Amino acid sequence: MHRIGVLALDGVLPFELGIPARIFGAARSDRGDPLYSVTTCSLDGRPVRTQADFDIVVSEDASLLAAVDTVVVPPSHALGAVREEGRLSDGLRRAFEGVRPGTRMVGLCTGTFVLGAAGLLENRPVTTHWMEAGLLQRLFATARVDPDVLFVDDGDVLTSAGVAAGVDLCLHIVRRDHGSAVANEVARACVVPPWRDGGQAQFIRQPVPGPSAGSTAPVRAWALEHLGEPLTLAGLASRAGMSVRTLTRRFRDEVGMSPGQWLAGQRVERARHLLETTDWPVDRIAHHCGFGTGTSLRQHLHSAVGVAPQAYRKTFRTAPAAV
């Protein structure tokens, strides 16, 4: 069983603190066995003050982190020198010194600052809450901070944007570890979407279209039902009753990307699901998802996740599926 240690620091935000236990705790094998064990610790094993009006009682101190496979650091509103100077406190330094090489490190929201102060973000793509992204970049100049995404997976270091983006990242980790079938069941149990369109750019304050302005939601829903068909920007605009320029602008307002980027992303997600859950040949999947040819699918999948279809299928297939 994969062991996860969650480090609760003074000032921790209770919602984000509870995400790992809720998401990973809901992951089950085909036989119903838990796939993860999740244990929360504090630096000294004592109760932790939260950002809310209550404390958290834990049963472990930070020595736990030396025995787990994944360390998760939720955000805190009392990071002190970590956020102000990019420097670990003595207690945090000792805690991170005990972490074994190869341990997967996860920073939720401003928990990313802790990973940075521990020297784990050098020359890596990372993210955090969009309001903190500029400060993160200034403190850790070699990190490649992307303020427009919900999470970043850089192998053994993963980071998320603010608040509910921690759910997105933890679901992604379940999917990476055990495939989409397990992740989808976790999402259903927790009543959250298996993945969300767009990035955190869509949540940044910006002018809101007036009440008479149409939404792209209906045309997006229609497109998802017709991914295998040739879909053009002009065709989508016509169906939405908008000009191409208006459709493009409203797509960016609502989902944080252009129609073409959104459509390509949805086709890749559909292809990933089919690679994981069917035995269909690559060309059949490509046709079903609207890529036309296996070559086009291979190019898009490699751009999105860095592997070829067969390698992806071998990695993520968890059980034989009927054609």
Side-chain angles (χ1 to χ4, degrees), residues 218-303:
V219 76
R220 282 185 278 129
W222 179 87
L224 289 175
E225 296 177 355
H226 298 81
L227 285 179
E229 302 174 14
L231 300 176
T232 65
L233 182 56
L236 292 175
S238 176
R239 174 163 288 276
M242 304 176 188
S243 68
V244 168
R245 183 176 180 180
T246 298
L247 179 74
T248 301
R249 184 180 71 250
R250 292 189 183 156
F251 250 82
R252 292 193 180 279
D253 289 342
E254 294 175 18
V255 300
M257 63 185 72
S258 71
Q261 291 171 324
W262 178 85
L263 188 60
Q266 296 304 314
R267 283 172 163 159
V268 167
E269 291 296 342
R270 181 71 56 83
R272 290 170 67 173
H273 175 73
L274 292 173
L275 286 167
E276 295 172 17
T277 60
T278 76
D279 294 315
W280 290 3
V282 170
D283 286 343
R284 182 179 178 185
I285 292 176
H287 178 76
H288 184 84
C289 297
F291 285 119
T293 67
T295 298
S296 179
L297 169 57
R298 290 182 184 92
Q299 292 172 344
H300 280 86
L301 186 69
H302 193 276
S303 177

Side-chain angles (χ1 to χ4, degrees), residues 13-102:
L13 279 68
F15 177 82
E16 288 90 329
L17 175 64
I19 289 172
R22 191 68 185 92
I23 298 298
F24 295 118
R28 294 288 189 271
S29 70
D30 292 339
R31 298 190 303 273
D33 299 323
L35 295 171
Y36 301 92
S37 67
V38 182
T39 306
T40 302
C41 69
S42 65
L43 288 178
D44 55 10
R46 296 177 181 174
V48 175
R49 293 181 297 107
T50 73
Q51 178 263 345
D53 62 343
F54 54 86
D55 294 345
I56 297 291
V57 177
V58 300
S59 58
E60 300 281 349
D61 61 29
S63 63
L64 167 80
L65 304 184
V68 299
D69 306 298
T70 295
V71 171
V72 180
V73 185
S76 164
H77 278 181
L79 289 176
V82 168
R83 184 179 177 276
E84 296 165 5
E85 305 171 27
R87 175 176 58 82
L88 293 179
S89 66
D90 290 341
L92 272 171
R93 179 179 48 77
R94 288 191 295 270
F96 274 81
E97 286 175 350
V99 175
R100 296 173 301 166

Side-chain angles (χ1 to χ4, degrees), residues 133-152:
L135 176 60
L136 184 72
Q137 187 67 83
R138 290 193 294 274
L139 283 176
F140 309 108
T142 65
R144 304 197 300 277
V145 180
D146 187 343
D148 295 333
V149 296
L150 294 176
F151 61 84
V152 173

